[in-house]
Amino acid sequence: MERIIITGALGQIGTELTLKLREKYGEENVLPTDIKEPEGEALKGKPFEVLDVRDQERMKALVSEFKPDTMMHMASLLSATAEKNPQFAWEINMGGLVNALETAREFGLKFFTPSSIGAFGPSTPKENTPQVTIQRPTTMYGVNKVAGELLCDYYHEKFGVDTRGVRFPGLISHVKEPGGGTTDYAVEIYFEALRNGRYTSFIDKSTNMDMMYMEDAIDAIIKLMEAHPGQLKDRNAFNVSAMSINPEMVANEIRKHIPDFELDYDVDPVRQGIAESWPNAIDSTEAKRQWGFDPRYDLEKMTEVMLEAIRNK
Ligand code: VAH
């Protein structure tokens, strides 16, 4: 992996992924793209190209010109947004993925795209969820992620495309706040704790979900993409998680730094329903075994880093 094009580069993962790849491979070897030009400081600096992932012709033209060896397809509508407009979510999440896979096939690109714990549903085992198990998600986002996992496997088997992917848990970062996710409470709570000393959670107190600090997520992507193909028994849909937490646990950790922090609840039935359809804690054994997945941040360390970084913003 030496020269990378990224779609959805202005998103929560895409932003930090672009910064890390530029640092590791050189700014001139990374082409971040997204539906609009960057506004904030985070992605200042060239090159950058505007790309709507529904435009396969332009996607191929950019690849033909930039000549990457890898595509990281990050453009996606997240779970809560997708539930508000499922037909549009299909168009972006699946239409965009097909265009990206076709581009990777035509230009012989190594390919990464993330799945999610959202690819599981209410009939999936909730605790220590295996990588191969029942997947009957009840959200459009979950349907997109299951279809995406299968499509990426298909492009590898049928066309030899070097596709790789992980199932991300909720991701927590201070660089770019997420938009439209069910797990966004776990990011908002840190910002609100410092802004107002209190937070009203839209997810209920005892709802456990898998989470991971963004630095561990970016490291996982790079580690998987740099793994020798012979190491990989599986290709896509590796379970990866660093912790299983709920709002009360996050609040208790924050109180070690902000003793008077107050947490209350105004549960959003839609996002609560999505959260309850997902596992409580997934098993990451295969990722650890096949390519050395090794998250470094637990809730305590993540809380320290998040509060420190937000204070310094
Ligand atoms: C979402 N942050 O909430 C995303 C993610 C596991 C959650 O897929 O939709």
Side-chain angles (χ1 to χ4, degrees):
M1 183 163 78
E2 288 171 7
R3 209 163 151 76
I4 306 127
I5 185 170
I6 304 166
T7 68
L10 299 181
Q12 187 203 18
I13 306 175
T15 301
E16 289 200 56
L17 180 60
T18 298
L19 294 172
K20 179 81 174 182
L21 292 175
R22 279 177 169 173
E23 181 192 314
K24 190 171 169 67
Y25 299 101
E27 190 169 293
E28 70 287 357
N29 289 314
V30 180
L31 178 60
T33 71
D34 209 314
I35 192 81
K36 60 183 173 60
E37 287 287 349
E39 284 146 16
E41 280 311 305
L43 283 198
K44 276 268 178 273
K46 285 292 176 190
F48 185 96
E49 291 292 346
V50 174
L51 171 65
D52 181 330
V53 293
R54 292 172 293 179
D55 184 347
Q56 186 179 128
E57 203 177 318
R58 172 153 173 78
M59 189 184 281
K60 289 182 174 176
L62 286 176
V63 166
S64 174
E65 192 183 330
F66 183 66
K67 298 183 177 44
D69 56 40
T70 302
M71 175 181 280
M72 294 196 177
H73 179 59
M74 311 306 290
S76 170
L77 297 187
L78 297 184
S79 55
T81 305
E83 277 315 289
K84 287 181 189 146
N85 192 340
Q87 291 75 14
F88 182 55
W90 181 272
E91 196 183 328
I92 297 292
N93 293 350
M94 300 315 297
L97 179 60
V98 167
N99 289 339
L101 282 166
E102 273 299 289
T103 304
R105 180 176 67 81
E106 186 171 323
F107 290 88
L109 307 182
K110 210 171 183 179
F111 187 84
F112 174 86
T113 199
S115 180
S116 159
I117 59 172
F120 297 122
S123 52
T124 303
K126 292 267 182 219
E127 301 297 338
N128 207 24
T129 307
Q131 189 157 298
V132 179
T133 185
I134 300 163
Q135 288 182 262
R136 306 291 291 178
T138 50
T139 62
M140 173 52 86
Y141 180 71
V143 169
N144 297 158
K145 290 304 180 185
V146 174
E149 292 177 5
L150 297 174
L151 201 55
C152 290
D153 280 344
Y154 178 82
Y155 266 73
H156 176 63
E157 293 304 323
K158 178 89 174 180
F159 304 117
V161 179
D162 184 353
T163 58
R164 306 183 190 197
V166 299
R167 286 184 189 125
F168 274 137
L171 298 181
I172 293 159
S173 70
H174 53 79
V175 173
K176 179 74 189 285
E177 292 185 57
T182 299
T183 57
D184 295 358
Y185 89 85
V187 177
E188 294 168 1
I189 193 169
Y190 289 107
F191 284 87
E192 290 306 302
L194 286 164
R195 279 183 194 127
N196 309 314
R198 55 177 314 291
Y199 179 65
T200 299
S201 173
F202 57 77
I203 293 292
D204 206 354
K205 63 176 63 185
S206 55
T207 306
N208 283 311
M209 285 190 272
D210 284 283
M211 300 279 180
M212 185 151 69
Y213 185 52
M214 184 61 79
E215 202 172 306
D216 280 333
I218 304 301
D219 288 349
I221 293 173
I222 293 172
K223 216 172 221 180
L224 172 56
M225 294 306 280
E226 289 188 341
H228 186 282
Q231 282 176 243
L232 304 179
K233 182 169 70 64
D234 301 306
R235 278 291 170 157
N236 298 285
F238 281 99
N239 285 1
V240 290
S241 176
M243 63 191 91
S244 172
I245 56 177
N246 62 48
E248 284 298 307
M249 291 165 69
V250 184
N252 291 336
E253 204 56 44
I254 288 174
R255 286 191 191 102
K256 292 180 186 173
H257 305 268
I258 307 172
D260 301 335
F261 173 68
E262 287 175 24
L263 173 65
D264 59 25
Y265 295 88
D266 179 9
V267 173
D268 166 14
V270 173
R271 286 181 286 184
Q272 182 64 25
I274 294 173
E276 288 174 1
S277 76
W278 292 350
N280 298 333
I282 64 173
D283 171 42
S284 307
T285 303
E286 286 308 313
K288 292 174 180 168
R289 180 183 295 149
Q290 295 186 36
W291 48 273
F293 170 60
D294 180 20
R296 290 176 294 133
Y297 290 82
D298 60 10
L299 178 57
E300 183 180 4
K301 192 174 167 192
M302 177 173 73
T303 300
E304 275 169 28
V305 169
M306 280 291 284
L307 292 176
E308 185 61 29
I310 296 166
R311 271 197 193 96
N312 294 339
K313 267 182 177 271

XYZ file of all heavy atoms in Angstrom, residues 239-278:
321
model
N -14.688 -9.049 13.118
C -15.153 -8.361 14.338
C -13.979 -7.651 15.000
O -12.928 -8.278 15.201
C -15.660 -9.383 15.370
C -17.023 -9.974 15.040
O -17.611 -9.651 14.019
N -17.508 -10.854 15.903
N -14.122 -6.366 15.289
C -13.095 -5.676 16.092
C -13.799 -4.803 17.141
O -14.739 -4.084 16.831
C -12.168 -4.785 15.221
C -11.259 -5.629 14.327
C -12.936 -3.782 14.392
N -13.357 -4.920 18.386
C -13.918 -4.098 19.461
C -12.891 -3.963 20.589
O -12.043 -4.842 20.758
C -15.202 -4.747 20.019
O -15.698 -3.993 21.117
N -12.971 -2.865 21.326
C -12.020 -2.645 22.434
C -12.712 -2.681 23.786
O -12.059 -2.914 24.808
C -11.338 -1.288 22.264
N -14.012 -2.431 23.786
C -14.729 -2.383 25.070
C -16.232 -2.486 24.842
O -16.720 -2.177 23.754
C -14.400 -1.061 25.784
C -14.846 0.185 25.038
S -14.185 1.740 25.707
C -12.673 1.898 24.752
N -16.939 -2.938 25.882
C -18.407 -2.955 25.843
C -18.861 -2.049 26.978
O -18.562 -2.315 28.153
C -18.929 -4.379 26.062
O -20.343 -4.334 26.209
N -19.515 -0.938 26.640
C -19.829 0.068 27.661
C -21.269 0.554 27.519
O -21.923 0.351 26.512
C -18.873 1.286 27.558
C -18.919 1.909 26.154
C -17.460 0.879 27.946
C -18.044 3.162 26.028
N -21.731 1.225 28.576
C -23.053 1.858 28.556
C -22.920 3.266 29.117
O -21.876 3.615 29.688
C -24.064 1.011 29.344
C -23.676 0.879 30.814
O -23.359 1.868 31.483
N -23.679 -0.360 31.297
N -23.950 4.117 28.972
C -23.805 5.517 29.384
C -23.391 5.701 30.850
O -22.571 6.565 31.155
C -25.207 6.088 29.128
C -25.763 5.248 28.026
C -25.231 3.872 28.257
N -23.906 4.850 31.739
C -23.539 4.988 33.176
C -22.036 4.775 33.372
O -21.392 5.496 34.149
C -24.315 3.973 34.023
C -25.771 4.335 34.261
C -25.939 5.646 35.042
O -25.344 5.788 36.124
O -26.637 6.543 34.530
N -21.492 3.811 32.669
C -20.045 3.507 32.830
C -19.218 4.694 32.350
O -18.225 5.072 32.961
C -19.688 2.254 32.021
C -20.276 0.962 32.570
S -20.185 -0.386 31.378
C -18.406 -0.672 31.329
N -19.644 5.311 31.241
C -18.899 6.470 30.714
C -18.990 7.622 31.718
O -17.982 8.266 32.038
C -19.441 6.909 29.338
C -18.598 8.051 28.773
C -19.446 5.737 28.353
N -20.196 7.842 32.249
C -20.387 8.941 33.214
C -19.510 8.737 34.447
O -18.858 9.677 34.930
C -21.852 9.027 33.617
N -19.460 7.520 34.965
C -18.626 7.242 36.152
C -17.145 7.522 35.866
O -16.427 8.046 36.729
C -18.819 5.800 36.612
C -20.218 5.592 37.201
O -20.855 6.550 37.658
N -20.709 4.363 37.130
N -16.708 7.203 34.643
C -15.295 7.465 34.297
C -15.060 8.967 34.178
O -14.037 9.491 34.617
C -14.965 6.748 32.974
C -13.510 6.433 32.783
C -12.902 5.614 33.915
O -13.539 4.633 34.377
O -11.803 6.008 34.352
N -16.027 9.678 33.600
C -15.887 11.141 33.466
C -15.834 11.806 34.841
O -15.072 12.746 35.072
C -17.062 11.712 32.615
C -16.890 11.316 31.142
C -17.159 13.240 32.769
C -18.068 11.705 30.250
N -16.602 11.260 35.789
C -16.653 11.855 37.138
C -15.305 11.774 37.869
O -15.048 12.533 38.799
C -17.767 11.204 37.971
C -19.155 11.646 37.540
C -20.251 11.221 38.514
N -21.568 11.446 37.914
C -22.316 10.465 37.378
N -21.874 9.194 37.397
N -23.493 10.732 36.805
N -14.427 10.897 37.415
C -13.076 10.849 38.011
C -12.314 12.136 37.665
O -11.340 12.493 38.323
C -12.291 9.634 37.496
C -12.847 8.295 37.966
C -12.014 7.144 37.419
C -12.626 5.783 37.761
N -11.876 4.662 37.070
N -12.765 12.817 36.584
C -12.106 14.058 36.141
C -12.981 15.285 36.416
O -12.483 16.372 36.646
C -11.796 13.986 34.645
C -10.991 12.787 34.258
N -9.616 12.788 34.197
C -11.368 11.520 33.945
C -9.183 11.586 33.855
N -10.229 10.789 33.698
N -14.297 15.100 36.311
C -15.270 16.188 36.530
C -16.281 15.682 37.553
O -17.336 15.147 37.201
C -15.991 16.574 35.200
C -14.976 16.875 34.088
C -16.931 17.761 35.410
C -15.596 17.067 32.712
N -15.955 15.800 38.844
C -16.741 15.132 39.900
C -18.233 15.467 39.894
O -19.055 14.628 40.214
C -16.083 15.631 41.190
C -14.696 16.041 40.796
C -14.784 16.526 39.380
N -18.574 16.693 39.453
C -19.990 17.092 39.514
C -20.755 16.774 38.230
O -21.879 17.224 38.048
C -20.099 18.611 39.757
C -19.396 18.993 41.060
O -19.288 18.088 41.930
O -18.911 20.142 41.159
N -20.134 16.035 37.329
C -20.799 15.748 36.043
C -22.135 15.054 36.282
O -22.227 14.103 37.070
C -19.902 14.858 35.173
C -20.571 14.387 33.915
C -20.884 15.293 32.910
C -20.934 13.060 33.753
C -21.526 14.872 31.746
C -21.574 12.627 32.605
C -21.872 13.534 31.590
N -23.186 15.571 35.594
C -24.533 14.988 35.752
C -24.996 14.353 34.437
O -24.815 14.935 33.369
C -25.525 16.089 36.149
C -25.371 16.566 37.595
C -26.311 17.736 37.879
O -27.350 17.864 37.168
O -25.994 18.542 38.766
N -25.564 13.161 34.549
C -26.098 12.461 33.371
C -27.573 12.178 33.599
O -27.945 11.660 34.654
C -25.340 11.143 33.152
C -25.882 10.212 32.053
C -25.751 10.866 30.680
C -25.150 8.867 32.085
N -28.399 12.611 32.624
C -29.792 12.155 32.701
C -30.203 11.593 31.339
O -29.374 11.521 30.424
C -30.711 13.283 33.178
C -30.662 14.511 32.264
O -30.324 14.333 31.066
O -30.933 15.634 32.733
N -31.477 11.197 31.202
C -31.875 10.424 30.016
C -33.130 10.992 29.374
O -34.060 11.406 30.050
C -32.108 8.950 30.408
C -30.839 8.288 30.864
C -30.444 8.345 32.204
C -29.986 7.660 29.956
C -29.246 7.784 32.620
C -28.792 7.094 30.366
C -28.426 7.168 31.694
O -27.229 6.618 32.106
N -33.094 11.062 28.065
C -34.293 11.315 27.259
C -34.181 10.351 26.079
O -33.667 10.702 25.008
C -34.314 12.787 26.782
C -35.555 13.060 25.920
O -36.436 12.161 25.861
O -35.604 14.133 25.268
N -34.596 9.105 26.338
C -34.320 8.012 25.391
C -35.056 8.238 24.067
O -36.252 8.526 24.048
C -34.721 6.655 26.015
C -34.606 5.526 24.993
C -33.835 6.367 27.235
N -34.288 8.137 22.975
C -34.859 8.248 21.623
C -35.278 6.850 21.186
O -34.421 5.979 20.973
C -33.791 8.826 20.683
C -34.182 8.652 19.210
O -35.359 8.337 18.944
O -33.302 8.806 18.354
N -36.599 6.616 21.051
C -37.063 5.243 20.769
C -36.450 4.629 19.503
O -36.155 3.438 19.459
C -38.579 5.392 20.634
C -38.878 6.844 20.614
C -37.709 7.575 21.153
N -36.194 5.457 18.475
C -35.625 4.903 17.229
C -34.199 4.416 17.474
O -33.866 3.249 17.218
C -35.651 5.957 16.093
C -34.907 5.422 14.860
C -37.094 6.322 15.744
N -33.359 5.304 18.028
C -31.958 4.883 18.213
C -31.828 3.846 19.335
O -30.974 2.960 19.271
C -31.076 6.107 18.459
C -30.844 6.900 17.177
C -29.954 8.102 17.372
N -30.658 9.189 18.066
C -30.119 10.390 18.289
N -28.885 10.652 17.872
N -30.795 11.331 18.917
N -32.722 3.898 20.324
C -32.703 2.872 21.377
C -33.073 1.517 20.780
O -32.458 0.495 21.075
C -33.681 3.227 22.493
C -33.708 2.241 23.670
C -32.390 2.172 24.443
O -31.604 3.123 24.436
N -32.123 1.036 25.060
N -34.059 1.548 19.873
C -34.473 0.303 19.209
C -33.343 -0.270 18.372
O -33.084 -1.481 18.379
N -32.621 0.599 17.668
C -31.468 0.131 16.875
C -30.426 -0.482 17.815
O -29.936 -1.582 17.592
C -30.859 1.295 16.073
C -31.839 1.806 15.004
C -29.543 0.839 15.421
C -31.366 3.062 14.286
N -30.094 0.251 18.876
C -29.053 -0.212 19.814
C -29.415 -1.573 20.408
O -28.578 -2.468 20.516
C -28.877 0.805 20.937
N -30.699 -1.754 20.744
C -31.116 -3.028 21.360
C -31.105 -4.186 20.368
O -31.081 -5.355 20.754
C -32.503 -2.862 21.992
C -32.468 -2.016 23.248
C -33.856 -1.714 23.812
O -34.857 -2.181 23.241
O -33.928 -0.984 24.823
N -31.089 -3.841 19.066
C -31.043 -4.928 18.063
C -29.604 -5.396 17.830
O -29.383 -6.394 17.137
C -31.649 -4.436 16.737
O -30.744 -3.574 16.049
N -28.647 -4.679 18.359
C -27.229 -5.009 18.152
C -26.707 -5.845 19.318
O -27.300 -5.853 20.409
C -26.408 -3.714 18.039
C -26.689 -2.927 16.796
C -27.428 -3.329 15.715
C -26.257 -1.592 16.499
N -27.462 -2.324 14.776
C -26.756 -1.249 15.219
C -25.476 -0.664 17.186
C -26.503 -0.007 14.620
C -25.211 0.572 16.586
C -25.729 0.891 15.326
